[in-house]
Amino acid sequence: MTTKEIKVRWKNYRKANSEKPHARENEFKKIFSLVAPERCMKIWEVGTGNGYLALPLAKAVGKNGEIITTDVDAGSIKEAIKKSKRKNLNIKVILLSPKKPFLSGKKYENLFDVVTSLATLHHFDRRGTGDHGRKKALKYFYRNLKKGGRLVIGDVLHGTISQKYFHSIDDPKHCFPLGHPHNFFKKKELVKAVKNAGFENVKVKIAYVPWRFSSVKEAKNFIHTIHNARCAKEESFSIAKKYLGFKKVGSHYELGWELFFLTAKK
Ligand SMILES: C[S@@+](CC[C@H](N)C(=O)[O-])C[C@H]1O[C@@H](n2cnc3c(N)ncnc32)[C@H](O)[C@@H]1O
C-alpha cells in the first residue's frame, strides 16, 4: 500500500460526490439544518472531502463570517481551494498531518461558534487503535469552540445498516487499498466520550438518510467509485444492496443509509 494509492482512494471519493452531488442530499440537508449557519458565524468543518459541506456553509455565513475546513488529504485540500476561489468564498482550507489532524494552538482556542463534521469522525481511528484518536479529536473540538458554541456531528453508529455495510467491504477489493478498517462508536460510548471531552446537552439521533439515484446504473457507478472498489461493479452493488437495501421510490431509486446526528454544547 502506497501514499499514491490512498490519494486515488480519496480522489475517487471526491469524483463520486462531485459527479452526483444530489446522491447524499438527505444527509446534507440534515447536517446543514442542525448547523443552522448564520451570517458572520465562524465554523470549523472537519474532513473537507470535495468541499461538500464547507462550500455551502461558506456561502451561508457570508463575507463577514468564516469557514475553516481541515483534511489530511492534500488532493482534497487542493480541490477545495480551487472551488472556493472560483466561487469567491471566504474559506480557509488547511492541510493537517495525519499524525496531528487537529487545529491546535492558542489562535484557534475559543474561536468557533460551531464545529461540525460529516462522515469523518471514524477516520480518526483505525481498527486496532481503539478510540484514542476520536477522543483526542473531541477534546480539540471542545477547546476550539467558544463558550456556548455547538458541536454538530453526522457519522456512522455501531449496529446500523451503514456500519454493517462498511464491515462487509473491509477488503481491498471492495475498498482499495485498505478495505474499511474502522470501528464505530455504540451510542452509549459516543455520548460518554463527548461528555468526557467537556460537552453538555449531548443529543444523539439515528436518521435514515438514503442515497438517491435517478437510475440503477447511476447507483452502481456511485457505490463502486465512492469506495474505490477493484471488484466488478456488479459485485460491489450486490453487497451494497444486501446490507443497505435498494428500492424504487416514485421516479427515483434509494440505497439505504443510516447516520447518527449528534448535537452538544460547550
Ligand atoms: C468519508 S470522507 C468525508 C468527507 C466529507 N466530509 C463528506 O462528507 O463528503 C472522510 C474524510 O476524512 C479525511 N481523513 C482521513 N483520515 C483522516 C484522519 N486520520 N484524520 C482526519 N481526517 C481524515 C479524508 O481525507 C476524507 O476527506
Side-chain angles (χ1 to χ4, degrees):
M1 185 263 300
T2 64
T3 317
K4 194 171 164 220
E5 286 168 341
I6 294 186
K7 278 186 182 165
V8 174
R9 151 88 165 110
W10 293 119
K11 188 176 172 199
N12 275 328
Y13 182 88
R14 297 194 303 277
K15 180 173 187 271
N17 280 296
S18 297
E19 283 178 356
K20 299 289 166 219
H22 301 298
R24 294 170 60 215
E25 74 179 10
N26 286 320
E27 67 195 81
F28 171 80
K29 281 183 184 162
K30 182 81 188 160
I31 197 151
F32 195 83
S33 71
L34 290 170
V35 172
E38 288 174 14
R39 295 263 149 202
C40 304
M41 270 186 177
K42 276 190 195 299
I43 300 176
W44 174 20
E45 194 253 347
V46 182
T48 310
N50 75 336
Y52 191 67
L53 185 55
L55 296 167
L57 286 177
K59 201 170 167 202
V61 300
K63 286 280 164 215
N64 294 324
E66 187 178 44
I67 303 298
I68 295 186
T69 179
T70 55
D71 205 293
V72 298
D73 173 61
S76 303
I77 295 297
K78 216 166 143 189
E79 186 172 320
I81 291 176
K82 206 164 138 192
K83 285 180 176 167
S84 68
K85 278 193 182 148
R86 199 166 61 218
K87 293 177 189 245
N88 196 22
L89 293 167
N90 200 14
I91 310 186
K92 265 199 197 117
V93 188
I94 300 178
L95 178 64
L96 299 172
S97 150
K99 288 191 181 141
K100 206 179 173 204
F102 319 106
L103 276 181
S104 60
K106 279 262 172 255
K107 68 174 178 175
Y108 296 115
E109 286 177 19
N110 304 301
L111 182 67
F112 297 101
D113 298 289
V114 180
V115 173
T116 187
S117 182
L118 181 62
T120 298
L121 187 66
H122 62 274
H123 284 283
F124 282 87
D125 285 298
R126 287 227 181 124
R127 193 164 292 139
T129 70
D131 52 15
H132 181 74
R134 284 168 287 175
K135 284 184 173 164
K136 203 163 173 194
L138 290 167
K139 285 197 176 138
Y140 277 94
F141 299 166
Y142 184 83
R143 188 178 299 173
N144 291 344
L145 275 170
K146 288 177 186 166
K147 183 81 192 137
R150 293 178 295 117
L151 176 68
V152 181
I153 298 180
D155 199 20
V156 174
L157 201 65
H158 185 85
T160 58
I161 53 170
S162 309
Q163 177 260 308
K164 287 171 189 159
Y165 165 69
F166 275 136
H167 187 71
S168 76
I169 62 160
D170 186 15
D171 178 324
K173 73 174 173 160
H174 299 136
C175 186
F176 193 77
L178 296 173
H180 199 274
H182 304 286
N183 281 331
F184 302 93
F185 277 128
K186 291 178 182 151
K187 190 172 175 180
K188 267 192 182 164
E189 293 167 345
L190 174 66
V191 171
K192 194 172 167 202
V194 173
K195 283 187 177 166
N196 282 346
F199 287 96
E200 295 173 355
N201 294 343
V202 184
K203 291 177 189 146
V204 180
K205 276 194 183 140
I206 297 174
Y208 182 66
V209 282
W211 292 354
R212 289 172 63 108
F213 302 100
S214 60
S215 67
V216 175
K217 190 177 171 200
E218 193 179 293
K220 214 182 271 185
N221 283 335
F222 186 87
I223 204 75
H224 193 265
T225 308
I226 199 168
H227 293 132
N228 198 30
R230 288 293 181 267
C231 59
K233 285 182 186 171
E234 206 50 66
E235 186 176 332
S236 55
F237 190 48
S238 78
I239 298 171
K241 283 195 293 188
K242 178 176 170 191
Y243 288 93
L244 300 169
F246 185 73
K247 59 183 182 224
K248 191 162 192 205
V249 181
S251 58
H252 69 276
Y253 293 84
E254 287 187 357
L255 185 66
W257 199 246
E258 279 177 339
L259 293 180
F260 75 75
F261 289 89
L262 175 142
T263 56
K265 222 173 184 174
K266 178 169 178 179

